[in-house]
Amino acid sequence: QAGRLFGCDRAALLGRRPDELPGTVDEALCRRLEEAVREGRAKAFEHLSEAHGGWLEVHVYPAAGGVSIFIRDISARREEERRAAAQAGFRRDLLAFVQTTLQNGLDEGLYGRLLDVAIRTVPGAQAGSLIVRKGDTFHFVAAVGFELDRLRG
């Protein structure tokens, strides 16, 4: 996989120092590899590489006359972990919303709490509004990041 990450065949990587690796230079990764080589002990770390467009799992093993470096792309795993954490956060927020609603009933703050959960759930969301249909018309009932009275006109 290292050959694919660096855009060359495996043989071109053998015998090279970290700063001599072909392809796009990832200076932060090179520094971490050189640090591990200097320390002279086995080391493993995860690294977000902008140069290679994803997360790498790196294992460095000192050996007689050099060092062995194993690199694996773990972008898919990290994305799955991020997605699982987001889902867990959503479940936690939703359960808290339901618990509060059961305690308080259908009080005035219901729509505001629901909107807060929605904003925390949607990636990148910073503001929002909630409208409810009453008869043939829609009414703003909650807003975050906007003045509710101005939305109501």
Side-chain angles (χ1 to χ4, degrees):
Q1 255 188 356
R4 194 181 78 228
L5 287 170
F6 290 102
C8 63
D9 85 359
R10 185 174 173 260
L13 299 172
L14 297 176
R16 299 277 186 103
R17 291 192 331 256
D19 62 343
E20 296 175 332
L21 294 174
T24 306
V25 175
D26 183 330
E27 292 180 15
L29 177 59
C30 287
R31 278 193 304 276
R32 292 185 80 177
L33 291 172
E34 289 168 349
E35 176 185 303
V37 170
R38 274 194 312 275
E39 290 175 2
R41 60 182 175 88
K43 189 171 193 170
F45 58 90
E46 293 181 356
H47 174 75
L48 177 57
S49 175
E50 290 183 28
H52 298 293
W55 281 94
L56 304 175
E57 179 181 71
V58 182
H59 295 265
V60 183
Y61 302 98
V67 65
S68 294
I69 301 170
F70 296 94
I71 299 174
R72 182 171 62 148
D73 186 334
I74 58 166
S75 300
R77 187 196 83 204
R78 291 293 297 242
E79 176 58 24
E80 182 55 36
E81 289 171 352
R82 185 205 59 77
R83 199 177 1 250
Q87 289 174 350
F90 171 70
R91 284 191 294 275
R92 181 188 61 245
D93 288 347
L94 186 59
L95 287 172
F97 170 77
V98 169
Q99 182 179 21
T100 302
T101 301
L102 290 173
Q103 289 171 349
N104 298 341
L106 302 176
D107 66 342
E108 257 182 49
L110 172 73
Y111 293 127
R113 290 189 305 274
L114 179 60
L115 184 56
D116 286 338
V117 169
I119 290 170
R120 282 194 302 274
T121 300
V122 176
Q126 298 175 357
S129 60
L130 184 64
I131 58 173
V132 172
R133 183 176 178 179
K134 293 180 183 174
D136 292 336
T137 60
F138 292 90
H139 302 271
F140 285 99
V141 294
V144 172
F146 302 102
E147 292 181 34
L148 188 56
D149 291 336
R150 293 185 85 188
L151 291 174
R152 289 177 174 159

